[in-house]
Amino acid sequence: MSGRWSRARLRRAAQSILTEALAAADPGTLVRRSLRIRRGELEAAGMRFPTKGGRIVLVAAGKAAVPMARAAEQVLGPHLSEGMAVTSSEADSVGGVRVRTASHPVPDARGRAAAREAEKLAQGLGREDLLLVLLSGGASALLPAPAGGITLRDKQRTTGLLLRAGATIHELNAVRKHLSRLKGGGLAAAAAPARVITLILSDVVGDDPSTIASGPTVPDPTTFAEALAALARRGVASRAPKAVITRLEAGARGEAPETPKPGARLFRRTATRIVGSNSLSIAAAAREARRQGLRPLVLTTRLEGEAR
């Protein structure tokens, strides 16, 4: 191997493989590949929608919200009526799309204000309108919309307790969905009867749309009882805010409405597509390795563990 594969050649191959893996996860490229205006129709998430007669409104949230929103605006051009992007770092404006900055992973007042803005946008849509939602990692914390009886401080403390206790993203989001107006299908409910298209850059092992960003536009299979169980399993139920426990217990007894579940009518006018994920990046890396003359072995795309 030393004769054919010098150290310099190995380094070049490794660099090329990494470059291809990162390119496969480029937010702007992924959105541009997934959106198209053709013959007076918007093609997105494998579906076609007329661009005449209704408005197209954009809500982007997550650490990649700005490049995703910028790419969507480039594709949609004058067909985009208005939009907003919520991200975790200071960013330049995106044409006609308003950019908001909020905290991650613990939500803050800026995120609450952004969530209200997104909710208002969704609620202002009619049946002929289309809400285009672009989600990436961090979107759940960036759009906190506390449910009735829950304060932002309650959500902050609960999120912090779960994070320090080593809760999985699935456990964390099961709790957050049941303390929110927008998570767990809530944003889709706010937009009804408008059509809702969601393009997702996944940061979750398994690419479950109901877990990514706490699933604001998809059915929620989790329950109040599961949220309570997550707090108990992580040993933080006794330290969680009283209002949080009160709400979750009331929901578990059927005294508070559950999040929208699979089969709900409102999801008949929604479509969701994962446009980027670790599996796509790994596949790109493997292709480049083969092109370089190597034989790649993909061990897994589902490696999980406690970060420490």
Side-chain angles (χ1 to χ4, degrees):
M1 180 174 178
S2 59
R4 185 181 170 214
W5 287 91
S6 65
R7 179 173 295 182
R9 185 179 177 187
L10 282 171
R11 285 177 173 171
R12 287 195 298 271
Q15 183 176 23
S16 181
I17 291 168
L18 177 59
T19 297
E20 289 301 310
L22 293 174
D26 180 74
T29 300
L30 293 168
V31 170
R32 282 189 290 271
R33 286 177 182 169
S34 305
L35 290 178
R36 180 180 300 176
I37 298 290
R38 179 187 291 180
R39 298 173 184 173
E41 291 184 319
L42 168 65
E43 297 180 6
M47 302 178 69
R48 296 182 178 181
F49 305 91
T51 56
K52 295 181 179 180
R55 298 186 301 145
I56 299 178
V57 172
L58 167 70
V59 171
K63 286 174 277 189
V66 169
M68 292 179 82
R70 183 177 291 119
E73 187 177 48
Q74 291 170 353
V75 174
L76 297 174
H79 298 289
L80 180 62
S81 298
E82 65 176 312
M84 64 174 294
V86 189
T87 188
S88 57
S89 58
E90 296 295 334
D92 296 331
S93 61
V94 183
V97 177
R98 303 182 297 275
V99 178
R100 303 289 184 256
T101 304
S103 176
H104 172 273
V106 178
D108 66 0
R110 296 174 301 168
R112 179 177 57 191
R116 287 173 178 166
E117 190 174 346
E119 187 175 25
K120 186 175 180 180
L121 271 179
Q123 291 173 337
L125 299 176
R127 185 172 183 81
E128 299 305 314
D129 297 327
L130 170 67
L131 177 64
L132 176 62
V133 181
L134 307 176
L135 299 176
S136 56
S140 187
L142 294 168
L143 285 178
I150 302 295
T151 66
L152 178 61
R153 176 59 181 160
D154 291 333
K155 294 195 71 173
Q156 290 171 326
R157 176 162 175 74
T158 304
T159 299
L161 286 170
L162 286 167
L163 287 172
R164 288 190 293 274
T168 67
I169 188 63
H170 303 279
E171 292 171 324
L172 182 62
N173 284 352
V175 174
R176 291 196 289 200
K177 289 176 189 179
H178 290 87
L179 302 178
S180 172
R181 300 192 310 275
L182 296 185
K183 296 174 175 59
L187 182 59
R195 295 163 294 184
V196 180
I197 300 298
T198 306
L199 303 181
I200 301 174
L201 182 58
S202 173
D203 67 334
V204 172
V205 171
D207 301 335
D208 177 6
S210 70
T211 298
I212 303 165
S214 297
T217 61
V218 297
D220 176 27
T222 70
T223 64
F224 278 104
E226 289 176 70
L228 270 175
L231 291 173
R233 187 161 50 247
R234 293 297 167 179
V236 299
S238 62
R239 290 176 285 154
K242 182 178 179 180
V244 166
I245 300 301
T246 297
R247 173 174 172 80
L248 296 181
E249 288 180 341
R253 293 193 300 267
E255 298 170 5
E258 259 291 359
T259 48
K261 296 292 180 264
R265 290 178 59 87
L266 74 94
F267 296 115
R268 295 179 182 178
R269 288 174 61 81
T270 68
T272 302
R273 171 169 287 179
I274 304 289
V275 299
S277 67
N278 76 329
S279 59
L280 293 177
S281 290
I282 289 173
R287 284 195 302 271
E288 179 59 18
R290 284 190 289 270
R291 194 186 73 81
Q292 293 284 338
L294 300 168
R295 288 182 293 176
L297 174 62
V298 176
L299 297 177
T300 182
T301 60
R302 303 180 66 93
L303 184 63
E304 293 183 272
E306 217 293 321
R308 285 173 295 185

mmCIF file of all heavy atoms in Angstrom, residues 214-243:
data_model
loop_
_atom_site.group_PDB
_atom_site.id
_atom_site.type_symbol
_atom_site.label_atom_id
_atom_site.label_comp_id
_atom_site.label_asym_id
_atom_site.label_seq_id
_atom_site.Cartn_x
_atom_site.Cartn_y
_atom_site.Cartn_z
ATOM 1 N N SER A 214 -39.216 19.064 17.064
ATOM 2 C CA SER A 214 -40.450 18.726 17.797
ATOM 3 C C SER A 214 -41.659 18.675 16.876
ATOM 4 O O SER A 214 -42.793 18.882 17.313
ATOM 5 C CB SER A 214 -40.694 19.712 18.941
ATOM 6 O OG SER A 214 -39.662 19.640 19.898
ATOM 7 N N GLY A 215 -41.429 18.424 15.583
ATOM 8 C CA GLY A 215 -42.516 18.155 14.638
ATOM 9 C C GLY A 215 -43.631 19.167 14.581
ATOM 10 O O GLY A 215 -44.799 18.794 14.749
ATOM 11 N N PRO A 216 -43.375 20.448 14.288
ATOM 12 C CA PRO A 216 -44.447 21.449 14.291
ATOM 13 C C PRO A 216 -45.490 21.287 13.200
ATOM 14 O O PRO A 216 -46.593 21.830 13.311
ATOM 15 C CB PRO A 216 -43.692 22.772 14.121
ATOM 16 C CG PRO A 216 -42.429 22.394 13.410
ATOM 17 C CD PRO A 216 -42.069 21.043 13.958
ATOM 18 N N THR A 217 -45.184 20.515 12.151
ATOM 19 C CA THR A 217 -46.137 20.389 11.040
ATOM 20 C C THR A 217 -46.523 18.951 10.743
ATOM 21 O O THR A 217 -47.118 18.674 9.698
ATOM 22 C CB THR A 217 -45.552 21.031 9.759
ATOM 23 O OG1 THR A 217 -44.337 20.342 9.416
ATOM 24 C CG2 THR A 217 -45.262 22.502 9.953
ATOM 25 N N VAL A 218 -46.195 18.037 11.636
ATOM 26 C CA VAL A 218 -46.508 16.619 11.408
ATOM 27 C C VAL A 218 -47.241 16.047 12.623
ATOM 28 O O VAL A 218 -47.204 16.624 13.713
ATOM 29 C CB VAL A 218 -45.224 15.805 11.142
ATOM 30 C CG1 VAL A 218 -44.528 16.288 9.877
ATOM 31 C CG2 VAL A 218 -44.275 15.872 12.329
ATOM 32 N N PRO A 219 -47.919 14.909 12.457
ATOM 33 C CA PRO A 219 -48.623 14.291 13.584
ATOM 34 C C PRO A 219 -47.663 13.949 14.721
ATOM 35 O O PRO A 219 -46.495 13.634 14.489
ATOM 36 C CB PRO A 219 -49.223 13.019 12.970
ATOM 37 C CG PRO A 219 -49.282 13.283 11.505
ATOM 38 C CD PRO A 219 -48.112 14.153 11.199
ATOM 39 N N ASP A 220 -48.182 13.997 15.934
ATOM 40 C CA ASP A 220 -47.369 13.690 17.114
ATOM 41 C C ASP A 220 -47.811 12.359 17.717
ATOM 42 O O ASP A 220 -48.915 12.260 18.254
ATOM 43 C CB ASP A 220 -47.520 14.801 18.154
ATOM 44 C CG ASP A 220 -46.778 14.474 19.442
ATOM 45 O OD1 ASP A 220 -45.788 13.710 19.383
ATOM 46 O OD2 ASP A 220 -47.187 14.983 20.506
ATOM 47 N N PRO A 221 -46.973 11.334 17.658
ATOM 48 C CA PRO A 221 -47.354 10.043 18.227
ATOM 49 C C PRO A 221 -47.192 9.970 19.746
ATOM 50 O O PRO A 221 -47.640 9.015 20.368
ATOM 51 C CB PRO A 221 -46.399 9.064 17.537
ATOM 52 C CG PRO A 221 -45.169 9.883 17.273
ATOM 53 C CD PRO A 221 -45.671 11.266 16.960
ATOM 54 N N THR A 222 -46.536 10.978 20.364
ATOM 55 C CA THR A 222 -46.320 10.936 21.808
ATOM 56 C C THR A 222 -47.532 11.487 22.557
ATOM 57 O O THR A 222 -48.394 12.135 21.982
ATOM 58 C CB THR A 222 -45.061 11.725 22.213
ATOM 59 O OG1 THR A 222 -45.305 13.132 22.040
ATOM 60 C CG2 THR A 222 -43.868 11.316 21.385
ATOM 61 N N THR A 223 -47.568 11.222 23.846
ATOM 62 C CA THR A 223 -48.717 11.604 24.664
ATOM 63 C C THR A 223 -48.281 12.358 25.914
ATOM 64 O O THR A 223 -47.096 12.386 26.269
ATOM 65 C CB THR A 223 -49.495 10.344 25.106
ATOM 66 O OG1 THR A 223 -48.635 9.556 25.954
ATOM 67 C CG2 THR A 223 -49.933 9.514 23.906
ATOM 68 N N PHE A 224 -49.266 12.944 26.596
ATOM 69 C CA PHE A 224 -48.995 13.584 27.879
ATOM 70 C C PHE A 224 -48.380 12.588 28.853
ATOM 71 O O PHE A 224 -47.454 12.912 29.608
ATOM 72 C CB PHE A 224 -50.290 14.142 28.477
ATOM 73 C CG PHE A 224 -50.702 15.480 27.944
ATOM 74 C CD1 PHE A 224 -51.733 15.583 27.026
ATOM 75 C CD2 PHE A 224 -50.076 16.646 28.360
ATOM 76 C CE1 PHE A 224 -52.133 16.820 26.535
ATOM 77 C CE2 PHE A 224 -50.456 17.882 27.882
ATOM 78 C CZ PHE A 224 -51.497 17.974 26.956
ATOM 79 N N ALA A 225 -48.911 11.364 28.855
ATOM 80 C CA ALA A 225 -48.409 10.342 29.774
ATOM 81 C C ALA A 225 -46.935 10.036 29.502
ATOM 82 O O ALA A 225 -46.141 9.848 30.435
ATOM 83 C CB ALA A 225 -49.247 9.069 29.648
ATOM 84 N N GLU A 226 -46.549 10.005 28.241
ATOM 85 C CA GLU A 226 -45.146 9.748 27.898
ATOM 86 C C GLU A 226 -44.253 10.908 28.325
ATOM 87 O O GLU A 226 -43.103 10.694 28.721
ATOM 88 C CB GLU A 226 -45.021 9.508 26.398
ATOM 89 C CG GLU A 226 -45.606 8.179 25.936
ATOM 90 C CD GLU A 226 -45.535 8.024 24.431
ATOM 91 O OE1 GLU A 226 -44.419 7.858 23.908
ATOM 92 O OE2 GLU A 226 -46.591 8.060 23.775
ATOM 93 N N ALA A 227 -44.764 12.129 28.218
ATOM 94 C CA ALA A 227 -43.993 13.283 28.660
ATOM 95 C C ALA A 227 -43.748 13.208 30.165
ATOM 96 O O ALA A 227 -42.632 13.456 30.650
ATOM 97 C CB ALA A 227 -44.729 14.569 28.298
ATOM 98 N N LEU A 228 -44.777 12.853 30.918
ATOM 99 C CA LEU A 228 -44.626 12.680 32.366
ATOM 100 C C LEU A 228 -43.618 11.575 32.676
ATOM 101 O O LEU A 228 -42.773 11.715 33.570
ATOM 102 C CB LEU A 228 -45.976 12.315 32.989
ATOM 103 C CG LEU A 228 -46.880 13.443 33.461
ATOM 104 C CD1 LEU A 228 -48.217 12.871 33.922
ATOM 105 C CD2 LEU A 228 -46.218 14.251 34.579
ATOM 106 N N ALA A 229 -43.702 10.486 31.930
ATOM 107 C CA ALA A 229 -42.801 9.359 32.160
ATOM 108 C C ALA A 229 -41.347 9.754 31.890
ATOM 109 O O ALA A 229 -40.428 9.298 32.587
ATOM 110 C CB ALA A 229 -43.198 8.181 31.277
ATOM 111 N N ALA A 230 -41.123 10.618 30.894
ATOM 112 C CA ALA A 230 -39.764 11.064 30.582
ATOM 113 C C ALA A 230 -39.178 11.852 31.743
ATOM 114 O O ALA A 230 -38.004 11.682 32.107
ATOM 115 C CB ALA A 230 -39.770 11.907 29.315
ATOM 116 N N LEU A 231 -39.974 12.729 32.348
ATOM 117 C CA LEU A 231 -39.505 13.493 33.506
ATOM 118 C C LEU A 231 -39.176 12.569 34.674
ATOM 119 O O LEU A 231 -38.158 12.744 35.354
ATOM 120 C CB LEU A 231 -40.573 14.503 33.921
ATOM 121 C CG LEU A 231 -40.828 15.678 32.972
ATOM 122 C CD1 LEU A 231 -42.030 16.491 33.450
ATOM 123 C CD2 LEU A 231 -39.601 16.573 32.870
ATOM 124 N N ALA A 232 -40.034 11.577 34.890
ATOM 125 C CA ALA A 232 -39.803 10.641 35.992
ATOM 126 C C ALA A 232 -38.575 9.777 35.729
ATOM 127 O O ALA A 232 -37.753 9.545 36.633
ATOM 128 C CB ALA A 232 -41.038 9.760 36.179
ATOM 129 N N ARG A 233 -38.429 9.315 34.495
ATOM 130 C CA ARG A 233 -37.317 8.440 34.145
ATOM 131 C C ARG A 233 -35.974 9.132 34.328
ATOM 132 O O ARG A 233 -34.983 8.509 34.718
ATOM 133 C CB ARG A 233 -37.486 7.982 32.699
ATOM 134 C CG ARG A 233 -36.508 6.935 32.240
ATOM 135 C CD ARG A 233 -37.005 6.208 30.987
ATOM 136 N NE ARG A 233 -37.423 7.137 29.950
ATOM 137 C CZ ARG A 233 -38.679 7.288 29.524
ATOM 138 N NH1 ARG A 233 -39.661 6.562 30.066
ATOM 139 N NH2 ARG A 233 -38.987 8.134 28.578
ATOM 140 N N ARG A 234 -35.945 10.440 34.082
ATOM 141 C CA ARG A 234 -34.702 11.211 34.238
ATOM 142 C C ARG A 234 -34.547 11.784 35.634
ATOM 143 O O ARG A 234 -33.587 12.506 35.916
ATOM 144 C CB ARG A 234 -34.663 12.326 33.190
ATOM 145 C CG ARG A 234 -34.543 11.802 31.763
ATOM 146 C CD ARG A 234 -33.242 11.044 31.552
ATOM 147 N NE ARG A 234 -33.237 10.280 30.300
ATOM 148 C CZ ARG A 234 -32.214 9.563 29.878
ATOM 149 N NH1 ARG A 234 -31.114 9.503 30.608
ATOM 150 N NH2 ARG A 234 -32.276 8.882 28.745
ATOM 151 N N GLY A 235 -35.485 11.492 36.495
ATOM 152 C CA GLY A 235 -35.360 11.898 37.891
ATOM 153 C C GLY A 235 -35.522 13.386 38.145
ATOM 154 O O GLY A 235 -34.968 13.914 39.121
ATOM 155 N N VAL A 236 -36.268 14.085 37.294
ATOM 156 C CA VAL A 236 -36.405 15.536 37.455
ATOM 157 C C VAL A 236 -37.847 15.976 37.725
ATOM 158 O O VAL A 236 -38.120 17.168 37.851
ATOM 159 C CB VAL A 236 -35.866 16.279 36.208
ATOM 160 C CG1 VAL A 236 -34.398 15.977 36.005
ATOM 161 C CG2 VAL A 236 -36.675 15.927 34.960
ATOM 162 N N ALA A 237 -38.766 15.025 37.832
ATOM 163 C CA ALA A 237 -40.173 15.378 38.027
ATOM 164 C C ALA A 237 -40.390 16.208 39.289
ATOM 165 O O ALA A 237 -41.162 17.159 39.304
ATOM 166 C CB ALA A 237 -41.038 14.125 38.057
ATOM 167 N N SER A 238 -39.664 15.870 40.365
ATOM 168 C CA SER A 238 -39.855 16.580 41.633
ATOM 169 C C SER A 238 -39.310 17.998 41.591
ATOM 170 O O SER A 238 -39.682 18.836 42.409
ATOM 171 C CB SER A 238 -39.185 15.800 42.774
ATOM 172 O OG SER A 238 -37.780 15.707 42.564
ATOM 173 N N ARG A 239 -38.420 18.280 40.625
ATOM 174 C CA ARG A 239 -37.832 19.619 40.524
ATOM 175 C C ARG A 239 -38.419 20.452 39.393
ATOM 176 O O ARG A 239 -38.092 21.623 39.242
ATOM 177 C CB ARG A 239 -36.317 19.492 40.332
ATOM 178 C CG ARG A 239 -35.579 18.991 41.574
ATOM 179 C CD ARG A 239 -34.103 18.804 41.274
ATOM 180 N NE ARG A 239 -33.854 17.610 40.471
ATOM 181 C CZ ARG A 239 -32.811 17.446 39.671
ATOM 182 N NH1 ARG A 239 -31.929 18.427 39.524
ATOM 183 N NH2 ARG A 239 -32.647 16.320 38.999
ATOM 184 N N ALA A 240 -39.270 19.839 38.595
ATOM 185 C CA ALA A 240 -39.884 20.565 37.488
ATOM 186 C C ALA A 240 -40.887 21.586 38.024
ATOM 187 O O ALA A 240 -41.469 21.398 39.102
ATOM 188 C CB ALA A 240 -40.580 19.593 36.548
ATOM 189 N N PRO A 241 -41.115 22.697 37.322
ATOM 190 C CA PRO A 241 -42.095 23.696 37.764
ATOM 191 C C PRO A 241 -43.470 23.075 37.994
ATOM 192 O O PRO A 241 -43.895 22.180 37.245
ATOM 193 C CB PRO A 241 -42.119 24.686 36.594
ATOM 194 C CG PRO A 241 -40.774 24.563 35.971
ATOM 195 C CD PRO A 241 -40.426 23.106 36.083
ATOM 196 N N LYS A 242 -44.154 23.562 39.011
ATOM 197 C CA LYS A 242 -45.461 23.014 39.348
ATOM 198 C C LYS A 242 -46.429 23.117 38.187
ATOM 199 O O LYS A 242 -47.225 22.200 37.927
ATOM 200 C CB LYS A 242 -46.023 23.750 40.574
ATOM 201 C CG LYS A 242 -47.372 23.209 41.040
ATOM 202 C CD LYS A 242 -47.864 23.940 42.272
ATOM 203 C CE LYS A 242 -49.220 23.400 42.713
ATOM 204 N NZ LYS A 242 -49.723 24.107 43.929
ATOM 205 N N ALA A 243 -46.387 24.240 37.456
ATOM 206 C CA ALA A 243 -47.309 24.428 36.334
ATOM 207 C C ALA A 243 -47.099 23.373 35.254
ATOM 208 O O ALA A 243 -48.060 22.940 34.598
ATOM 209 C CB ALA A 243 -47.127 25.821 35.735
#
